[in-house]
Amino acid sequence: MARRERVVRMSVEQPLWRALTAYRVLTMVYAVLLAVFGRERYDRPWVAVVFLTVLAVWTLASLPKVSGAVACTKRFLGVDLALALAGILLTPLADFEAQSVDGPTLPSIWTAGSVLAFALKGGWRWAAFASTLVAVVNIVERGEPSRDTFHNVLLVWVASIAIGYVVEVARASERTLARALEIEAATRERERLARDIHDSVLQVLAMVQRRGTALGGEAAELGRLAGEQEIALRTLVTSGLVPATRVSEDAAEGAVVRSVEVDDEPSGPATCDLRTLLAPHAGSRITFAEPGAPVLLAPATAAELAAAVGAALDNVRVHAGENAQAWILVEDWPDEVVVTVRDDGPGIPEGRLAQAEGEGRMGVALSIRGRLRDLGGTAELVSVPGQGTEVELKVPKVSRGKAGSAG
């Protein structure tokens, strides 16, 4: 039975939310006890009683809201911060000497919990916004703020921004870790599939190829097709480059035709890995060499370049023969991509291309050079009779329109 890897994601910020929950409860209790033991200083104790009752009920009722980033909504944060600011501004109404004596406000250090909720939810920018409001309201409440007031508001401001920044870094690290775990799980799954396929399908295809070659005739053609499919399947399970392909047999010419669907819709990906379009060409007589890293081009550019490579391979099959060997080499340079198609055929006699164009056969001129010219690239063809043919296709990574010239 096939097993599927499951990636378990760990939230690095969840412990911070649990700590914030405990902090809010403890500071709420602290604010209540502070008011109880200092009740003699209040000129209007009912103001303190009403506010602290509301604060206690709100703190306990809102515990689910500070259980995580999803539950902690913007509306909750706004009401929570408004309650803290209201408590600061109500302090002079309960204690007439609050502005002349550096005493605690009604919410006391509970206010910092509201600011920390902003930091955990939105990072350092949200923390800076909330802590700035708290600093302004504290200064307004004091009237003529003292050095201790500035010290306290600056401490809250710096601490909340630092925690917000740490949260942002933790989230980025969590995303990176989750992506690495997904890649590791996918790699293990691909290795498992490769082992299973190697023990079954690949061995059968290899046996069909050997037996077909030994029997000859139509069986030899069947063996050749099995060999090509073995190479394509091996490439798929080992590198994961080969996308879904359609393989059909041309009965008239006995050729294998592969077509790759490319989506050119605007909603598609911004870049395309050229290797995925060229890897299906690999077979028993075509060797594919690539840099081992994604070769990214615009989807339309990659499709046109792959079509030019396909046209070059068609020329190899038609003019060099079914038994000719071909090589595809992909080079990824900083400013351009170079694809070289080489074969060991008899080569092209001098003047044959010009003669073909004169006779109206525009395969090389249109299918290869025309495509590259439209991409702003070049196509150079070098052929020596008896030594094969080499086609070098160059495409800039940043399109230059139709300004390019054909080689």
Side-chain angles (χ1 to χ4, degrees):
M1 173 180 287
R3 295 181 297 104
R4 185 178 298 275
E5 294 283 351
R6 183 170 65 92
V7 178
V8 179
R9 300 198 176 199
M10 299 175 57
S11 176
V12 295
E13 63 179 275
Q14 197 58 40
L16 296 178
W17 286 104
R18 288 196 290 267
L20 176 62
T21 301
Y23 177 86
R24 288 169 62 89
V25 174
L26 292 176
T27 53
M28 179 269 295
V29 174
Y30 175 77
V32 172
L33 293 177
L34 200 63
V36 170
F37 290 110
R39 58 185 179 275
E40 68 279 355
R41 75 173 183 271
Y42 291 115
D43 300 286
R44 293 174 180 168
W46 64 269
V47 175
V49 171
V50 171
F51 174 79
L52 291 175
T53 301
V54 173
L55 181 67
V57 173
W58 171 258
T59 301
L60 297 177
S62 62
L63 290 181
K65 289 292 186 179
V66 290
S67 60
V70 177
C72 187
T73 62
K74 294 181 180 179
R75 179 178 298 181
F76 163 76
L77 289 175
V79 175
D80 196 62
L81 182 62
L83 179 62
L85 299 181
I88 296 174
L89 294 177
L90 287 174
T91 301
L93 296 179
D95 182 5
F96 295 160
E97 298 181 355
Q99 292 183 336
S100 58
V101 179
D102 281 330
T105 59
L106 286 177
S108 185
I109 58 175
W110 185 91
T111 305
S114 181
V115 176
L116 292 177
F118 272 81
L120 295 182
K121 174 67 176 181
W124 70 269
R125 293 175 180 84
W126 288 31
F129 168 76
S131 58
T132 300
L133 288 181
V134 171
V136 171
V137 171
N138 268 286
I139 294 175
V140 171
E141 183 266 335
R142 293 297 182 186
E144 295 181 359
S146 64
R147 184 178 62 182
D148 290 338
T149 302
F150 277 114
H151 173 77
N152 292 334
V153 297
L154 183 62
L155 180 62
V156 172
W157 194 77
V158 172
S160 61
I161 291 180
I163 293 176
Y165 177 75
V166 170
V167 169
E168 290 186 356
V169 173
R171 285 175 179 161
S173 301
E174 181 182 358
R175 289 192 296 267
T176 303
L177 176 61
R179 178 58 180 162
L181 292 175
E182 290 175 357
I183 294 175
E184 182 183 2
T187 301
R188 288 199 298 267
E189 181 67 10
R190 187 166 64 237
E191 290 175 352
R192 186 189 65 80
L193 289 174
R195 290 192 299 269
D196 294 343
I197 292 175
H198 180 270
D199 294 338
S200 56
V201 181
L202 291 179
Q203 291 184 357
V204 173
L205 290 175
M207 183 183 68
V208 172
Q209 180 187 18
R210 291 194 301 270
R211 294 291 296 166
T213 303
L215 293 175
E218 295 184 357
E221 178 64 14
L222 179 62
R224 183 182 67 82
L225 295 177
E228 291 185 353
Q229 295 309 301
E230 178 195 2
I231 294 176
L233 185 57
R234 192 181 300 276
T235 303
L236 171 64
V237 299
T238 54
S239 64
L241 292 178
V242 184
T245 59
R246 176 176 57 83
V247 181
S248 62
E249 182 175 356
D250 188 332
E253 298 182 1
V256 175
V257 182
R258 294 179 176 87
S259 66
V260 180
E261 300 289 339
V262 178
D263 186 8
D264 289 332
E265 293 296 326
S267 59
T271 58
C272 174
D273 189 353
L274 179 65
R275 303 178 304 162
T276 63
L277 303 182
L278 298 183
H281 292 296
S284 59
R285 294 186 176 86
I286 300 177
T287 302
F288 176 58
E290 42 91 8
V295 181
L296 301 179
L297 290 172
T301 301
E304 286 295 293
L305 181 55
V309 173
L313 293 175
D314 288 340
N315 287 335
V316 173
R317 179 177 56 82
V318 172
H319 300 292
E322 293 287 345
N323 296 325
Q325 294 287 332
W327 294 265
I328 304 173
L329 173 63
V330 179
E331 299 174 272
D332 188 9
W333 297 101
D335 56 345
E336 66 180 359
V337 173
V338 181
V339 180
T340 304
V341 180
R342 183 171 61 87
D343 65 70
D344 61 353
I348 302 176
E350 186 175 355
R352 184 69 184 92
L353 291 178
Q355 179 184 353
E357 293 182 13
E359 294 173 353
R361 289 180 286 182
M362 309 292 288
V364 174
L366 294 181
S367 298
I368 300 179
R369 286 177 176 163
R371 292 180 188 272
L372 272 293
R373 181 172 57 249
D374 291 342
L375 298 175
T378 62
E380 297 182 1
L381 188 148
V382 178
S383 181
V384 178
Q387 299 183 18
T389 303
E390 180 177 296
V391 180
E392 185 180 71
L393 311 174
K394 295 183 179 180
V395 173
K397 289 188 174 180
V398 178
S399 177
R400 297 192 293 265
K402 297 184 179 182
S405 59

